[in-house]
Amino acid sequence: MTRVPLIDPATAGTPAAELLTATKRAMGVIPNTTKAMANSPAALKGFLGLLDALKEGALPAALRERIALAVAEINGCAFCLSAHTYVARNVIKLDEEEITAARLGRSADPKAAAVLDLAVAITNNNGQVGDNQFTAAREAGLTDEEIVEVIANVAYNIFANYINEALDVDLELPVVAALSPAAV
């Protein structure tokens, strides 16, 4: 059971109600994670602001979803694995093989593979990555703008993972379990 109340948009005060309405506009639904975040309108505002900004960035939705899958897998966040598997499958239309590959930090697409290599290195090393990671990303064709956005997407997804895990947010989708350590 979620460790904080899930704020109901119908009874929420301002600014939480406005932010939850903005969530519905941005995501099409109001997930429990944002209802939990609404306990701190500042946290929800920051989350939505970064989401909106990244949607306008250089990385297309399919790459952002792959990053989300890889980061959620590393952090063992069942809520985010479930939500992003659903989006990858039903909205982005990635096939099952590519979804599993993304969770493992891999892709058949060379640019996606480079993005995931960088995202996984950043996540696994708490942001401490070497020049070799940046050289490999650039050699794979990533621009500096895309590299910075990979970092921002990792941070955005870590924030979501930590909110969901720390607050034990109730999942409203079928659960997607983390892969076994042997698979990774």
Side-chain angles (χ1 to χ4, degrees):
M1 174 167 244
T2 305
R3 293 182 173 126
V4 297
L6 297 178
I7 303 300
D8 182 348
T11 59
T14 305
E18 293 169 350
L19 291 165
L20 290 168
T21 298
T23 300
K24 177 121 174 143
R25 275 194 310 271
M27 297 182 177
V29 296
I30 304 173
N32 284 345
T33 189
T34 57
K35 291 176 184 176
M37 274 188 231
N39 283 280
S40 168
L44 181 53
K45 184 177 181 180
F47 180 79
L48 294 174
L50 187 51
L51 172 64
D52 287 344
L54 293 172
K55 283 181 174 181
E56 302 285 323
L59 295 180
L63 284 178
R64 294 192 314 271
E65 283 306 314
R66 285 176 172 96
I67 293 169
L69 288 164
V71 172
E73 185 69 42
I74 291 166
N75 287 325
C77 181
F79 189 104
C80 292
L81 275 173
S82 303
H84 289 289
T85 297
Y86 178 86
V87 170
R89 184 181 291 138
N90 298 299
V91 178
I92 304 299
K93 305 292 187 193
L94 292 178
D95 63 36
E96 293 303 316
E97 186 175 293
E98 192 62 20
I99 290 170
T100 301
R103 291 176 63 186
L104 296 169
R106 301 185 198 121
S107 176
D109 175 82
K111 184 167 186 175
V115 164
L116 289 168
D117 284 346
L118 183 57
V120 166
I122 291 164
T123 306
N124 282 334
N125 298 299
N126 301 314
Q128 302 289 320
V129 294
D131 289 340
N132 59 327
Q133 287 297 146
F134 288 93
T135 299
R138 286 186 178 109
E139 286 175 355
L142 272 67
T143 65
D144 289 343
E145 179 181 17
E146 290 169 324
I147 289 169
V148 171
E149 286 184 26
V150 169
I151 298 165
N153 274 278
V154 167
Y156 171 81
N157 283 287
I158 288 172
F159 177 58
N161 294 173
Y162 286 11
I163 286 285
N164 288 307
E165 288 300 307
L167 296 180
D168 196 21
V169 176
D170 294 330
L171 179 61
E172 58 266 70
L173 292 167
V175 175
V176 173
L179 296 170
S180 71
V184 180

